[in-house]
Amino acid sequence: MKTNLITREGFEALQQELTFLWKQERPEVTKKVSWAASLGDRSENADYQYNKKRLREIDRRVRYLQKRLDQLRIVDYSSQQDGQVFFGAWVEIENEQEEKLTFRIVGPDEIYGRNDYISIDSPMARALLKKSVDDEAVVKTPTGEAVWFINQIRYQ
């Protein structure tokens, strides 16, 4: 089950994607489908088949985004969060082997295409929530437990 939280930046990015798909890409692909259909036999027309498939993909994504945007709740930064790990925080952590990781805790809709974002639903994020700098977080992994120490927390 996905958490319905999202940062303001993430929400705006999803809205921009929806607008782009609906107002720019879909009309272009629809024109290509119409043009390809006008050429006659559609069964062997690669332009028609490819663009028809792309149109279905766009429509599926538009439907998903419309539904999902209605379900999401934007979480803005609050000064009460300072000093502890909460949604939207940038966190730098380190383990006993001195490996360091830096990432932002965001909603599951925001992590795709980003190496520096993790979902609030991930085991790492769950282990870090409400912790402070110099606290230790025990993360349950498939290979056992991993211990991480919090070096830094920032929200901007």
Side-chain angles (χ1 to χ4, degrees):
M1 192 167 123
K2 286 187 190 179
T3 302
N4 290 334
L5 303 178
I6 193 166
T7 62
R8 185 160 303 278
E9 302 89 43
F11 188 82
E12 289 169 1
L14 290 179
Q15 281 184 317
Q16 287 174 354
E17 180 186 358
L18 177 60
T19 300
F20 171 76
L21 288 173
W22 188 249
K23 295 194 177 194
Q24 289 183 349
E25 190 166 3
R26 190 177 194 286
E28 288 175 19
V29 173
T30 302
K31 285 179 193 173
K32 290 177 186 176
V33 168
S34 297
W35 169 79
S38 71
L39 298 176
D41 184 14
R42 297 176 188 171
S43 64
E44 294 183 19
N45 187 332
D47 279 331
Y48 177 81
Q49 291 175 354
Y50 171 78
N51 287 301
K52 193 71 173 165
K53 179 182 177 205
R54 179 66 188 133
L55 192 58
R56 285 191 302 271
E57 292 168 354
I58 292 169
D59 288 345
R60 189 176 312 115
R61 182 69 178 162
V62 164
R63 279 191 308 275
Y64 172 80
L65 287 172
Q66 287 172 333
K67 286 180 188 176
R68 190 69 181 145
L69 286 169
D70 286 340
Q71 298 169 347
L72 293 172
R73 187 168 60 103
I74 298 172
V75 177
D76 288 316
Y77 165 75
S78 167
S79 60
Q80 295 171 341
Q81 294 173 303
D82 284 340
Q84 287 189 311
V85 178
F86 289 106
F87 187 84
W90 283 96
V91 183
E92 180 186 292
I93 58 174
E94 183 175 358
N95 65 10
E96 292 170 343
Q97 290 78 36
E98 296 185 13
E99 295 175 87
K100 289 185 180 182
L101 296 174
T102 302
F103 49 78
R104 186 176 189 196
I105 299 173
V106 296
D109 298 284
E110 300 177 78
I111 61 173
Y112 301 103
R114 298 286 308 245
N115 303 3
D116 56 345
Y117 280 12
I118 65 168
S119 171
I120 187 81
D121 297 328
S122 70
M124 176 68 82
R126 293 288 181 195
L128 292 171
L129 287 177
K130 298 183 182 178
K131 301 271 195 258
S132 302
V133 173
D134 294 330
D135 282 355
E136 146 181 327
V138 179
V139 182
K140 291 183 173 123
T141 68
T143 58
E145 292 184 341
V147 178
W148 293 87
F149 303 95
I150 300 172
N151 290 341
Q152 183 182 28
I153 303 166
R154 69 183 197 288
Y155 283 92
Q156 301 301 334

